[in-house]
Amino acid sequence: MLRYLYADQLSQFPLLSETMFRDRADQFKTRLAWDVSIDSDGLEKDEYDTLNPLYVIWEKPDGTHGGSMRFLPTTERTMVNDHFTDLMGGGTITSPLIWECTRFCLNRDAPGTVAAALMLGGGEIMNGFGVRHFVGVFDARMVRIYRMIGSSPELLGSQGEGRDRISVGLWEFSPDAQAKVARRAGISPKMSRMWFERAFGTVSAPGLARTG
């Protein structure tokens, strides 16, 4: 199932939280060899995890992490504005209608449907909070995954070649895209909406994100 949790709620789900940060260490440090910091407990966390972001997490039946994404409004500090403006010609993205999505992470044994489920959760955030677009930095391997899911971004800028190529993209989530991603995830739109409303109730206006 999908859970929507702010950072200050993670302590209520210690197993889910620990396995998420452990899977992030496994994916970004062990498998992708990114320059990320791993703490003494084997968990990958960074400065943006301290800003009370919203996480969309696929929780497996045993309560552990299957996959996750992290969201912050671009009206606050974001990774793309702090570190990747060169990919956009030096510009920044700041709008209450655009949120940043980072740390797209999958447990190494997660089936392909989990990636689609996370994208479906992202669409629920857009619909529920009045967000128009997500912005995010992604590497070359993700291009195939986004295409497979049926949710490819608009490219804002890129740097590098081959497997080392990194890009900034902008996502929207049309009804057609939602239907396609839901089919890929094997989750009905009704079920997806129920999980969102379980976390937030029925909301349909911007400006409801909690930060700080």
Side-chain angles (χ1 to χ4, degrees):
M1 66 173 288
L2 284 174
R3 286 198 182 274
Y4 300 82
L5 298 171
Y6 287 95
D8 62 9
Q9 297 173 309
L10 290 177
S11 61
Q12 301 172 36
F13 301 87
L15 178 61
L16 184 62
S17 174
E18 178 185 347
T19 52
M20 177 178 71
F21 291 118
R22 195 172 300 281
D23 280 346
R24 277 177 35 174
D26 179 53
Q27 175 170 309
F28 299 124
K29 186 71 170 184
T30 304
R31 289 185 276 159
L32 297 178
W34 287 10
D35 183 19
V36 296
S37 298
I38 310 300
D39 68 17
S40 59
D41 295 319
L43 311 181
E44 191 277 312
K45 299 181 181 181
D46 67 14
E47 60 192 294
Y48 301 95
D49 292 304
T50 68
L51 303 179
N52 204 31
L54 174 61
Y55 302 93
V56 176
I57 308 173
W58 181 259
E59 181 180 10
K60 297 195 293 185
D62 63 359
T64 62
H65 171 266
S68 56
M69 301 188 294
R70 181 180 68 188
F71 295 91
L72 282 166
T74 59
T75 51
E76 307 292 332
R77 284 188 54 214
T78 59
M79 184 179 291
V80 68
N81 286 337
D82 287 350
H83 300 288
F84 295 100
T85 56
D86 57 318
L87 298 182
M88 301 181 292
T92 61
I93 293 178
T94 306
S95 168
L97 302 180
I98 303 175
W99 285 12
E100 181 185 63
C101 176
T102 56
R103 289 303 194 258
F104 186 104
C105 175
L106 297 173
N107 177 278
R108 63 168 61 210
D109 297 320
T113 53
V114 173
L118 294 174
M119 286 292 189
L120 194 60
E124 296 292 356
I125 290 175
M126 282 188 171
N127 293 334
F129 289 138
V131 178
R132 297 288 183 84
H133 294 91
F134 291 139
V135 64
V137 178
F138 59 96
D139 58 22
R141 72 189 173 89
M142 293 300 299
V143 173
R144 179 185 62 83
I145 295 174
Y146 295 143
R147 188 180 299 120
M148 176 185 68
I149 294 170
S151 183
S152 295
E154 173 190 350
L155 197 64
L156 300 182
S158 297
Q159 189 175 88
E161 300 294 335
R163 296 180 62 182
D164 296 325
R165 187 175 181 84
I166 58 173
S167 305
V168 174
L170 199 65
W171 283 260
E172 59 181 4
F173 205 63
S174 67
D176 287 345
Q178 181 181 30
K180 183 182 294 185
V181 171
R183 287 194 298 270
R184 177 68 185 175
I187 298 169
S188 71
K190 182 178 180 180
M191 176 67 75
S192 176
R193 191 64 184 177
M194 183 193 74
W195 286 333
F196 180 85
E197 291 181 350
R198 182 180 294 173
F200 300 110
T202 303
V203 297
S204 58
L208 296 177
R210 295 193 296 136
T211 60

